[in-house]
Structures are given as structure tokens and as C-alpha cells.
Amino acid sequence: MAAEKWVYMVTAQTPTNIAVIKYWGKRDEVRILPVNDSISVTLDPDHLCTVTTVAVSPSFDRDRMWLNGKEISLSGSRYQNCLREIRSRGGDVEDKEKGVKIEKKDWERLNLHIASHNNFPTAAGLASSAAGFACLVFSLAKLMNVEEDPSQLSAIARQGSGSACRSLFGGFVKWKMGSKDDGSDSVAVQLADEKHWDDLVIIIAVVSSRQKETSSTSGMRESVETSLLLQHRAKEVVPKRIVQMEEAIKNRDFASFTQLSCKDSNQFHAVCLDTSPPIFYMNDTSHRIISLVEKWNRSEGTPQVAYTFDAGPNAVLIARNRKVAVQLLQGLLYYFPPKPDTDMKSYVVGDNSILKEAGLDGENSVENLQPPPEIRDNIGSQDQKGEVSYFICTRPGRGPVVLPDQTQALLDPETGLPK
Ligand code: DP6
């Protein structure tokens, strides 16, 4: 390479995911190897995603990263492990038009600029690290002409954050825990793509929370150290559930899917309670939402809505189809109305075309709503204003993609600095 001034870059978009059989507990903290398999649904990146631009240039004097516009340190071991692994797999890259010629061996000494942005508030506690590390690894793999398939890339993203490995695929994804000490077989695989079960509608209730939650990383460390229930879960419960969940997904068996998702979420939170000192991720609002869904499912005789909660109070609700989702949203808005003067379009975000179907796009207000009679009482009083910050309506979605449109890049093509 001569002393060129070029900046070569790639922009990619990666989805987030929600586990329906949870990952909770590591057998190796450094390589991030789990104590059990897990299964997730990838969420539509149109509504929840990370966009990352990665750039390389001989003029960069060090690796740098900006997250949501603010420069952050790359010195942590998780970033360092991902960068080292991906660099070692870089291939030859040539772009004659730009005068770019990079050889495999150059990746070790060329510096990178990385800018990443989430299209949802990081503070909402919506697994931003999963989409973030997946996007970092995916975009660098494209930049560096890495030949590895998505499963092999997932093993690198895993070293940034465990749940990130499942964001390398769309649809329904399994993270196989693997058995090797080096972690090379602890990878994600796709069970079915997003079109396989496209009736499903996902509504996320972003629940307001006053307290700072224990991070997943330290929470699961404490559970591994102190919870006997975690040992039992990993050894006896999850292996059977994984087989059943794979069957349920394959057959689009919503009743089994719901039973398994809800039970697994509840067991994960039971493990948190079994941890010393106990960890509380759900709050009263979360519990009220569970009651609402349980009551509805029971009264219908067959499950209509599945729920699952990660390391925070937010509810992820999966409705069997659009019609059920509309009723669910009406019920949720009845019990958790927006604060006065809140625009409905900022209270229900994502695919908010659902508001029209719920009769709430025009003059109609939530006061006129009537939720299904089966769930009308017993979940607390109706007026729970402010307990839900907002709702996101989404669906199962695609895996990572490169965004070829240069206008979507987060770095300036001339300087390689944030736009
Ligand atoms: C509750 O992937 O955030 O969301 O591997 O330490 O970064 P680290 O943890 P993280 O844990 C996610 C835990 C969970 C369940 C799940 O996504 O499977």
C-alpha cells in the first residue's frame, strides 16, 4: 500500500431478538459459553435494529467507535475479542475505482472506525447489545471479505454478548451450547426463516422502571454461583423444552409454543428469585400483564397470546394472528392508557397501522375502548396511566443485511468520522 488517503466502508443493519427458551448462565465467562441451548425469535429490523458503519483507512491512527453519536472505549475484552477474531479472518479486498488494495495480512495493522446506532432508545432495556455486537461482527465481516458463514460469524458475535449470536439470522434461531472447550461448536443456527410463521404479531410493552436493573452478565453470574434451580433447569428442564419448542415451531403449533414460552420465562424469573441475593426483574406492571394474558388464554380455552420477559420489566407479547393482536392492543390500551395529551402515534410505535384496525387512528379515544369481556376485571384498576412508557408493534423479521445506499452510512466517506 502506498500512502493513500482513501476511506473504504460498509454499512449494515442487524435485528434484535427475543428468547423464548432463555439463555441464563455461563460455563465459561471469557468465551461466553452457556449452560444450556436457547431459542429466539428475530424481531423485524424495520422496528428494532442496529445500523453500523465500519470504515478502514491508512489515515486512521487507532481503532475508534461511536455509539449513538457518542465516542465509547473499545478497550473492554468483549470488543477486543471480537475485533481480534474477525481481523484474523480478513481476506483480500480490492476496489480499483477507489484505489483500495488491502491484503489479508494488512488487517492486523490497519485501524478501524465504527459508528453504531439503535433505532430504539437504549435506555428502554431492549437487548441493544444483541443487535449491536451482531452488527459489529457482520459489518466487519463484509468490510474484510471474511468467508465464514453466518453460524461461524455467530461464534464471534457470541464473544461480544451471548444473545448476539442469535441475531445473525432471521426468523427462529437456536443457539447450540456446544461441548468443546474452545467454543467453536457454540454457534447459532436458523430453525426456520421469518416467512415460515408470518401470522405472528409481537407487541412489546416498554414498562416504566424506576430502579436500575442488575445487568444480565452479573445477574447470571450470581445465579450460576448460588441457584440450585439453575443447575436443575440447565440439566433436566431445558434439553426437553428445546426439543418440544423446535417441534412447536416446525408445526406452527401455537398452543405448545405459548405454553413453552410462558413456562420458560417464568422459570428464568424463578431462577432469579432463587439467586442469593434474589434478583427482581419484573415489577407490578409486568405481573399485571401476565395475569391479563393468562386470564384471557384460559377463558378462550386455547392460547391466544404468549408472553416472555427478559432481564427487565418489559413484556414481549406474541399474538397468534393479527385479529388477536388487535384485541390484545385494545385490552392493553384500556388498562394502560397513555398520559393525557399523548399522541397515540407516539404511544404505539413500530407497525402502528394496527391502530387503524383497533379503531384508534382518528378521533376515537381509549376511553371508548371495550376490551374482551374475559379480561375486564381482576388485573387491577383500569387507570394505570404512566406505567407503560409506550408499545412497539412488530413481527418476526429478517436477519442482517448490507445497506448499499451510501446516504444511510453513519460515517463521512471522506473523513471516516461520524456525519
Ligand atoms: C435474559 O446476552 O445480555 O436476555 O452474554 O453476559 O452479554 P451476556 O448476556 P446477554 O444475556 C441475555 C439474557 C436474556 C435471555 C436471552 O436472551 O436468552
Side-chain angles (χ1 to χ4, degrees):
M1 275 184 307
E4 313 98 322
K5 280 280 168 264
W6 51 260
V7 174
Y8 179 65
M9 57 192 218
V10 167
T11 300
Q13 178 200 52
T14 301
T16 182
N17 71 77
I18 177 75
V20 287
I21 302 291
K22 304 289 183 194
Y23 147 53
W24 195 251
K26 299 180 184 70
R27 62 179 201 276
D28 181 328
E29 287 257 350
V30 177
R31 292 189 177 86
I32 310 197
L33 301 176
V35 294
N36 56 254
D37 291 351
S38 55
I39 292 180
S40 61
V41 181
T42 298
L43 305 181
D44 189 337
D46 286 349
H47 310 129
L48 291 161
C49 72
T50 298
V51 170
T52 301
T53 300
V54 288
V56 59
S57 169
S59 64
F60 297 165
D61 60 359
R62 62 187 195 281
D63 289 342
R64 295 177 75 181
M65 174 159 181
W66 294 264
L67 179 60
N68 295 322
K70 212 174 135 230
E71 183 154 16
I72 60 160
S73 162
L74 282 170
S75 64
S77 60
R78 290 175 172 217
Y79 280 114
Q80 287 302 314
N81 290 346
C82 287
L83 290 174
R84 188 193 61 243
E85 293 290 318
I86 201 84
R87 271 198 166 101
S88 72
R89 290 166 175 80
D92 297 338
V93 172
E94 188 164 9
D95 182 332
K96 287 211 171 97
E97 217 174 284
K98 284 190 136 195
V100 178
K101 193 171 186 331
I102 304 168
E103 285 175 27
K104 199 175 164 41
K105 61 171 175 29
D106 296 332
W107 290 112
E108 299 295 336
R109 61 181 181 82
L110 280 169
N111 292 306
L112 301 163
H113 281 187
I114 302 158
S116 201
H117 183 262
N118 301 322
N119 72 348
F120 54 92
T122 314
L126 291 166
S128 53
S129 67
F133 276 105
C135 209
L136 175 79
V137 170
F138 180 80
S139 53
L140 285 174
K142 294 294 167 192
L143 181 86
M144 298 178 172
N145 199 14
V146 169
E147 276 176 5
E148 257 78 351
D149 66 28
S151 270
Q152 288 164 311
L153 292 182
S154 80
I156 304 177
R158 188 201 74 227
Q159 297 174 58
S161 183
S163 53
C165 73
R166 298 185 309 238
S167 274
L168 262 306
F169 294 95
F172 299 82
V173 185
K174 171 161 117 170
W175 174 10
K176 300 194 283 184
M177 63 181 286
S179 58
K180 293 188 184 159
D181 285 344
D182 69 359
S184 55
D185 59 350
S186 189
V187 298
V189 292
Q190 188 178 51
L191 298 175
D193 70 16
E194 62 278 16
K195 287 179 221 86
H196 167 72
W197 200 353
D198 60 1
D199 286 347
L200 302 181
V201 178
I202 301 171
I203 296 179
I204 303 172
V206 178
V207 172
S208 320
S209 142
R210 264 154 250 113
Q211 88 222 35
K212 169 93 188 81
E213 279 120 28
T214 313
S215 77
S216 302
T217 306
S218 60
M220 69 176 83
R221 184 184 304 129
E222 287 160 24
S223 294
V224 167
E225 283 164 7
T226 63
S227 170
L228 283 177
L229 180 56
L230 179 140
Q231 311 296 335
H232 171 70
R233 165 179 164 74
K235 232 163 93 206
E236 307 292 337
V237 182
V238 176
K240 294 188 192 95
R241 259 184 206 161
I242 289 281
V243 176
Q244 292 166 337
M245 184 56 100
E246 284 191 57
E247 268 306 290
I249 291 170
K250 191 169 122 210
N251 301 325
R252 292 186 282 265
D253 174 352
F254 192 77
S256 303
F257 177 83
T258 299
Q259 207 210 10
L260 292 163
S261 305
C262 299
K263 269 185 158 305
D264 202 71
S265 172
N266 290 333
Q267 188 176 69
F268 151 50
H269 290 277
V271 166
C272 292
L273 284 183
D274 189 47
T275 300
S276 311
I279 307 166
F280 310 105
Y281 284 127
M282 294 195 286
N283 64 17
D284 284 355
T285 308
S286 320
H287 292 145
R288 230 171 263 142
I289 294 173
I290 293 182
S291 301
L292 186 153
V293 173
E294 286 283 352
K295 193 158 182 244
W296 190 12
N297 283 344
R298 227 162 313 129
S299 73
E300 291 284 328
T302 159
Q304 304 296 310
V305 178
Y307 58 80
T308 187
F309 294 73
D310 274 350
N314 298 336
V316 178
L317 305 171
I318 308 176
R320 70 183 311 153
N321 58 37
R322 190 83 180 174
K323 191 165 157 252
V324 168
V326 169
Q327 290 177 334
L328 172 66
L329 185 69
Q330 289 172 330
L332 289 166
L333 291 173
Y334 175 81
Y335 283 111
F336 303 99
K339 287 188 182 148
D341 299 327
T342 307
D343 173 23
M344 202 42 114
K345 288 215 163 70
S346 64
Y347 195 55
V348 178
V349 303
D351 173 15
N352 58 19
S353 64
I354 195 167
L355 282 173
K356 190 164 181 213
E357 289 150 78
L360 287 164
D361 58 328
E363 293 302 297
N364 279 342
S365 81
V366 280
E367 273 104 74
N368 303 326
L369 274 179
Q370 286 300 315
E374 308 79 38
I375 58 167
R376 217 171 282 166
D377 38 47
N378 260 352
I379 71 137
S381 69
Q382 189 210 326
D383 194 5
Q384 316 282 345
K385 286 193 189 74
E387 299 206 344
V388 170
S389 305
Y390 58 96
F391 294 99
I392 305 168
C393 182
T394 185
R395 61 175 84 84
R398 65 173 180 274
V401 290
V402 168
L403 301 177
D405 177 2
Q406 284 290 334
T407 62
Q408 288 176 286
L410 303 173
L411 295 170
D412 183 292
E414 303 293 323
T415 63
L417 290 168
K419 278 182 177 168

